[in-house]
Every structure is written in structure tokens, then in C-alpha cells.
Amino acid sequence: MIDVKEKTILNDAGIFDTMTEFEHEQIMFCSDNASGLKAIIAIHNTVLGPGLGGTRFYNYKSENDAIKDVLRLSRGMTYKASISGLNLGGAKAIIIGDPNRIKSEALFRRFGRFIDNLGGKYITAEDVGTTTSDMEYISMETQHVVGLPEIKGGGGDPSPVTAYGVYLGMKAAAKHTYGNDSLNGKTIAVQGIGKVGYNLIELLHKEGAKIYVTDINEDNLKKANTDFNAISVNNEDIFSLDIDIFAPCAMGAVLNSNTINKLKCSIVAGAANNQLENEDEHGSMLKTKDIVYVPDFLINAGGLINVYSEVNGYNKKIAFAQTEKIYYTVLDILSKAEKENTHTQKAAIAIAENRIKQIMQLKSTI
Ligand code: NAD
């Protein structure tokens, strides 16, 4: 339940101030008493195309937390689409509440109607807390939804493609750091063995990496150990392990002053969105510690590439092939950041923003 005392929006900054600061185009608040739906759709930028971004279903501690999350996530989607060369804008939606308690057909169909009202400016997909079958309910009310099950002509769960992109991005970072991209014998810690994390450790295990894992779900840890010999560590210890690569694959803001101080790895490369609590401060802090950080919105774009390919008729081979570009983009960004003596997040955002600026100029000419 939302704490009433927490209801002030974004503390002192008003919602429009925040939209101005992060350059959001539109925010839609959706409420339906009958189904219990409380959702926010944030459209950040539609210069390159309609805003595509998943719907996160999460039991936020406060409305402030929910708003902050949807604003951060939608902005990240703009950069992710841009840097991946897709003709898509950035948007995201969140539904407030415990998905295990309040999910229903009516709630998703009502949400689908709200999406439909936006006339295609926002296309939804699955995210943390939502599944392909939830997308099916949404698709009963709007065509602006991807991430449908394969038997319905969709691409199904995008997580294996996301994991493949993270794996390739990690290999590119290894090439940049160690001179070759083999992960054989490398020690790698993965935080969060969910849909992406599990697929990732499968690829890492095949390549002969030594894997450490942590998760709040004991069953996931047991499975990772049984299937891939992964060694479990507790949630706090994962940060201070003496390892080569750390892969955050759970929730955001996991790279902050406290955790970065503990890190002993040489590379951070994982799937979680918005890993840096503060982009500039913590991006710089990682650089100062000589830790190569692969920007999250670049390395985890496989899922977006997968759902985007549904828009024009899904083809798994094409989705995987397009995801392979992540390897080369990571190499480019890491060397650009090094040359410009800047942190990698800043270098990646500059490239993403530059593409949007160029396409905006192009669209304004005859
Ligand atoms: P998921 O819900 O399947 O997995 C998340 C896992 O993290 C779960 O096993 C959960 O128990 C664990 N977890 C949660 N809090 C934790 C904590 N504090 N410490 C350790 N473990 C914790 O989600 P997913 O689809 O695997 O996505 C993982 C991350 O990657 C998310 O941040 C998501 O936004 C991002 N991402 C996913 C995709 C995709 O295709 N699924 C695409 C892009 C980005």
C-alpha cells in the first residue's frame, strides 16, 4: 500500500520541472477503481519513432518511487533505441501494486484501452512483473503491444536475446580490457538469476567461466548450482568478491557510492536497467577506479531489438543477428570514452543524443 505521507510528488520539484529537466514529452496517469489499476505511462522522446518500452508491475513503496522509476526507465529507452540504430522512441509504463495479488484479465484489458487512447505513440511489452500472457490480455484492447507468445506470431520472452546481447557486450569489454574476448577461466559474478540472469549464466558456463551468483530467491540459486555449478554468495558479499567481471541482472541503482567502493572487478557488464544511481557521479567513480563499465542501455538492448522485430513480422534469426551488433558498438563506445578521457555512460549518451538530433534535423527538411 502507498503511504499517504509519501504522496508529495518528487519532493520539492514539481512534475513539470522534472519533465523539463529530463525532457519528457508526455506522462499519462491511468486509474480504474473496478480493476484496481493504477498505472503511469511516460513518453520520453518520439523523434525516432513511437516510444516502445515494457510495462513494469511492481509494489512501489510510494507514488514518488513509482514516478521516479518510470521517468528514469523511459529516458533510458530513448537512448537504448537510439544507440541500437532502431527507428523507435523511448517510453515505459509502470503498474503499481503486488502482481501476485492484483493481476487480472480486467486490469490488463483496461490498461490496454489506456494504451490504445495514445493512438500508437506508445507501444508496450513485458518487463519485470509482467509476462507474455499478460501482453495477450492487453492485445485484446489494442494493437500497440509486442512481446506476444510465439504461437500468437510474437517473439515470445525476449530474455534469451537480452542475455545473448549481454554476453556479447561482456566479451567486447573483455577484448577491450584484456586484449582478447575469451571468457574461459574468467571469474564472473551475476546478481539476479531471473529470466536474463539464468540465460546468461548458461552462456558463460558453456564458455568455461567460473560463476558466482546471488539472488533473493533460494530456488533460483539451487537451480544455478545444479545446472551450471554456480557458487552462491549472499547479497552483500557479491560486491566485494575478488573477480574479473560483475554482472548486475536484478534491479536498478545497484552501482552507488557504497557498492562501487567495495568492487574489486575490472569490468561491470550486466542486464539491469539504470544500474548507476547517479549517472555522472557513479559513472566517473567507476572510471576513477579503472573499472570498465558497459552502459546498461547499450548492453541490454537485445530484448528491445527482439520486440522491435515483431513490429514488422517476427523472425528469430534476424533478432539474434541484429543483437550481434552490440559487440561492435560496445567496442566503439569503450574506445571513444578512453580517447576522450570521459566515462563510458557519458560517451554512450552523447552518441545516442547525437543520432536523435541528426534525425530531428533531417525530418525538419523537405
Ligand atoms: P526477473 O524478474 O526475471 O529476474 C530478476 C531476478 O533478480 C529475480 O530472480 C529476483 O529474485 C532477483 N532479485 C531481485 N532483487 C534482488 C536483489 N536485491 N538481490 C539479488 N537478486 C535480486 O527479471 P529479468 O527479466 O531477468 O530482468 C533483470 C533485469 O534486466 C531487470 O532490471 C530488467 O529491467 C532488465 N532487463 C531485462 C530485459 C529482458 O529481456 N527480460 C531486457 C532489458 C533489461
Side-chain angles (χ1 to χ4, degrees):
M1 284 292 286
I2 300 260
D3 179 351
V4 181
K5 278 178 276 171
E6 288 252 22
K7 279 199 169 179
T8 43
I9 293 187
L10 302 172
N11 304 323
D12 294 336
I15 192 84
F16 281 104
D17 288 345
T18 311
M19 285 176 80
T20 306
E21 185 186 343
F22 294 110
E23 301 186 276
H24 280 78
E25 287 178 15
Q26 188 178 354
I27 300 177
M28 185 186 202
F29 290 83
C30 317
S31 175
D32 178 55
N33 290 347
S35 63
L37 174 74
K38 283 189 174 35
I40 308 171
I41 300 171
I43 299 172
H44 179 251
N45 186 298
T46 56
V47 169
L48 297 175
L52 197 162
T55 296
R56 179 165 291 194
F57 205 138
Y58 190 72
N59 204 5
Y60 290 95
K61 280 200 204 116
S62 68
E63 287 178 7
N64 266 6
D65 284 358
I67 294 167
K68 274 185 202 158
D69 204 31
V70 77
L71 293 181
R72 276 161 61 98
L73 290 166
S74 54
R75 180 167 166 266
M77 293 309 295
T78 297
Y79 295 142
K80 192 184 303 200
S82 176
I83 207 149
S84 308
L86 305 176
N87 289 323
L88 281 177
K92 197 93 180 177
I94 56 103
I95 299 178
I96 300 170
D98 180 350
N100 297 320
R101 283 187 39 233
I102 66 163
K103 259 190 191 183
S104 69
E105 175 183 351
L107 180 143
F108 282 113
R109 291 184 68 166
R110 186 70 190 95
F111 183 54
R113 284 175 171 243
F114 279 112
I115 293 171
D116 206 55
N117 285 341
L118 288 164
K121 211 173 167 190
Y122 171 59
I123 304 170
T124 201
E126 65 166 341
D127 191 67
V128 174
T130 53
T131 62
T132 48
S133 46
D134 300 332
M135 297 306 117
E136 274 189 271
Y137 287 135
I138 293 175
S139 75
M140 291 172 189
E141 305 296 336
T142 182
Q143 58 175 354
H144 307 299
V145 52
V146 287
L148 292 168
E150 287 180 71
I151 46 159
K152 297 272 161 114
D157 177 9
S159 311
V161 192
T162 303
Y164 183 56
V166 173
Y167 165 71
L168 293 176
M170 200 183 265
K171 281 177 79 66
K175 187 172 171 60
H176 177 88
T177 311
Y178 312 120
N180 77 71
D181 70 6
S182 171
L183 299 177
N184 188 304
K186 292 280 181 281
T187 46
I188 304 174
V190 182
Q191 181 190 42
I193 311 302
K195 295 192 289 285
V196 179
Y198 182 83
N199 282 289
L200 176 64
I201 61 171
E202 180 172 16
L203 295 164
L204 299 177
H205 177 69
K206 264 190 205 148
E207 194 162 330
K210 183 172 182 186
I211 305 162
Y212 295 90
V213 286
T214 190
D215 199 294
I216 48 173
N217 181 327
E218 280 292 323
D219 291 341
N220 290 359
L221 293 175
K222 276 188 201 136
K223 197 165 161 41
N225 178 263
T226 310
D227 296 353
F228 309 120
N229 292 328
I231 303 159
S232 296
V233 292
N234 80 34
N235 278 327
E236 278 310 307
D237 292 346
I238 197 94
F239 299 106
S240 46
L241 291 178
D242 201 351
I243 46 161
D244 297 305
I245 303 171
F246 173 50
C249 295
M251 301 303 281
V254 76
L255 300 172
N256 51 52
S257 304
N258 173 35
T259 59
I260 294 172
N261 261 327
K262 295 182 191 167
L263 292 179
K264 296 192 188 100
C265 56
S266 39
I267 295 170
V268 175
N273 280 311
N274 301 116
Q275 290 168 31
L276 299 167
E277 188 180 74
N278 179 305
E279 280 178 6
D280 210 31
E281 181 186 344
H282 299 121
S284 300
M285 204 172 157
L286 285 163
K287 180 179 180 298
T288 307
K289 278 196 75 168
D290 259 338
I291 297 174
V292 171
Y293 170 68
V294 183
D296 47 13
F297 64 86
L298 162 61
I299 196 170
N300 71 15
L304 180 66
I305 293 167
N306 193 61
V307 290
Y308 177 63
S309 71
E310 264 181 55
V311 175
N312 302 312
Y314 184 66
N315 181 316
K316 197 179 219 149
K317 269 195 185 149
I318 293 177
F320 272 91
Q322 282 182 337
T323 299
E324 285 170 6
K325 286 186 193 158
I326 290 176
Y327 180 93
Y328 300 99
T329 315
V330 169
L331 281 179
D332 285 351
I333 301 278
L334 298 186
S335 50
K336 177 183 158 68
E338 202 170 71
K339 255 187 235 140
E340 294 174 1
N341 193 23
T342 185
H343 65 82
T344 54
Q345 179 85 354
K346 201 169 176 178
I349 288 179
I351 290 182
E353 282 182 340
N354 192 40
R355 177 170 176 243
I356 295 170
K357 211 158 119 194
Q358 285 181 350
I359 303 302
M360 195 151 75
Q361 272 165 2
L362 183 108
K363 285 186 174 176
S364 67
T365 55
I366 305 163

